[in-house]
Amino acid sequence: MTGLGRRRPLALAVVLAAGLAACGSAAGGSGGGRVTSAAPPAPAPAPESAVALAKAVRVVAVGDLACAPGEKPDAYSCQQAATERLAERSSPVAALLPGDLQYDTAAAGEWASFNASWGKAPFTLRPAPGNHEYATPGASGYYDEFGSRAGPDRRGWYAFNLGRWRAYSLNSNCIGDGVGCGASSPQVRWLAADLTAHPHACVLAFWHHPRFSSGLHGDSPELGPIWATLQRAKADLVLEGHDHDFERFARRTSDGRVDPAGVASFVVGTGGKSTYPVLRREPGSKKVVQFRFGVLELALAAGGWSWQYRTAEGRVRDAGSTRCR
């Protein structure tokens, strides 16, 4: 498995290896030696990091989901039902949904495709608004659909806890509708205040437009103040959509440098609508998966996390673990 930055991987593999070795010893080993009645040695205690990982909160993350009502699924589009079924198989407690949840304009009458798939999920949905939500003025269809689950006052940002983690759903529709993403904007001031008021060892955020992406839409430099605010608070992880591919980035600073002091990120715009090609590779891009629908599975532990990107066919195409800063 692959780590991010300069973190040591969590010790789950060590525990698994120790367990396999113990099983081999109990079965008599490979040497065909004499069977004795001696009691087997007591198992060594599991490393703290592995124990924490075993108690992790399991979530999924994916955006860019449901086609407009009436569009039929095929191999290349409208696979929102398949990704929801895939998410269910990992038994998450919640799904983090970084925007464009219902195409094309997310108006009040358009949510049938979402409600027939992700809307029936047996786990908590934590949404963030995308640009297609704001194709309806004020994203009114989105806020009507999710109500209080979209945060207070129809502003598009809110915070919650996931086990020992603090999580932030943010609004990356920076232009228009009074949202704003500048350093003095209400959203960034609120984010800085909440990070101070609720200090956590591990922090993640999710929103729609990627700050860094090798996909067709590319970078969103206007999100720099949000990224810088998270970076100063030693946040660990950002999850985004918008580009319809999967991409994992090493830790990067708000100005784009690959640096262990930065924030790691994933683009996961593979929830069902369609897929995009990746024609170039940004600095710090560690893994790209194109033309495959899928979901990102996360295990959020006290002090670290592990991830798997699993395609709708059930294949794991990227996986790893790392510690929080």
Side-chain angles (χ1 to χ4, degrees), residues 49-273:
S49 56
V51 172
L53 186 57
K55 297 179 179 179
V57 174
R58 299 188 179 277
V59 302
V60 295
V62 69
D64 303 271
L65 302 181
C67 286
E71 290 190 57
K72 302 299 183 182
D74 57 36
Y76 308 102
S77 62
C78 303
Q79 290 294 318
Q80 62 271 3
T83 58
E84 192 282 326
R85 290 193 298 268
L86 177 66
E88 278 196 47
R89 289 201 287 272
S90 66
S91 300
V93 300
L96 314 181
L97 305 177
D100 280 5
L101 309 183
Q102 176 61 71
Y103 289 79
D104 282 319
T105 66
E110 279 191 342
W111 286 84
S113 300
F114 177 87
N115 287 325
S117 53
W118 284 85
K120 293 183 175 180
F123 40 80
T124 300
L125 303 181
R126 296 288 190 174
N131 56 292
H132 278 268
E133 278 77 20
Y134 276 89
T136 295
S140 60
Y142 166 81
Y143 291 112
D144 288 345
E145 174 71 21
F146 288 104
S148 61
R149 292 180 295 168
D153 304 323
R154 296 186 171 226
R155 62 192 186 184
W157 59 85
Y158 58 95
F160 56 99
N161 293 335
L162 286 168
R164 302 290 292 276
W165 286 61
R166 187 69 168 168
Y168 294 91
S169 174
L170 301 178
N171 193 338
S172 63
N173 293 276
C174 300
I175 301 171
D177 291 289
V179 175
C181 300
S184 61
S185 66
Q187 178 172 213
V188 174
R189 293 201 308 270
W190 168 85
L191 174 62
D194 195 275
L195 285 163
T196 299
H198 300 90
H200 281 64
C202 300
V203 173
L204 70 81
F206 61 102
W207 60 74
H208 186 60
H209 304 80
R211 172 65 188 90
F212 305 110
S213 173
S214 301
L216 293 184
H217 290 302
D219 296 354
S220 300
E222 67 272 18
L223 294 165
I226 289 178
W227 198 278
T229 302
L230 291 166
Q231 181 183 319
R232 284 193 295 271
K234 297 185 177 181
D236 299 285
L237 179 60
V238 167
L239 308 166
E240 302 148 315
H242 200 43
D243 273 328
H244 296 189
D245 54 58
F246 170 83
E247 186 169 20
R248 171 170 56 87
F249 279 96
R251 292 180 179 270
R252 295 181 74 178
T253 60
S254 59
D255 59 1
R257 289 179 294 108
V258 177
D259 191 316
V263 185
S265 65
F266 292 82
V267 176
V268 197
T270 54
K273 168 59 178 174

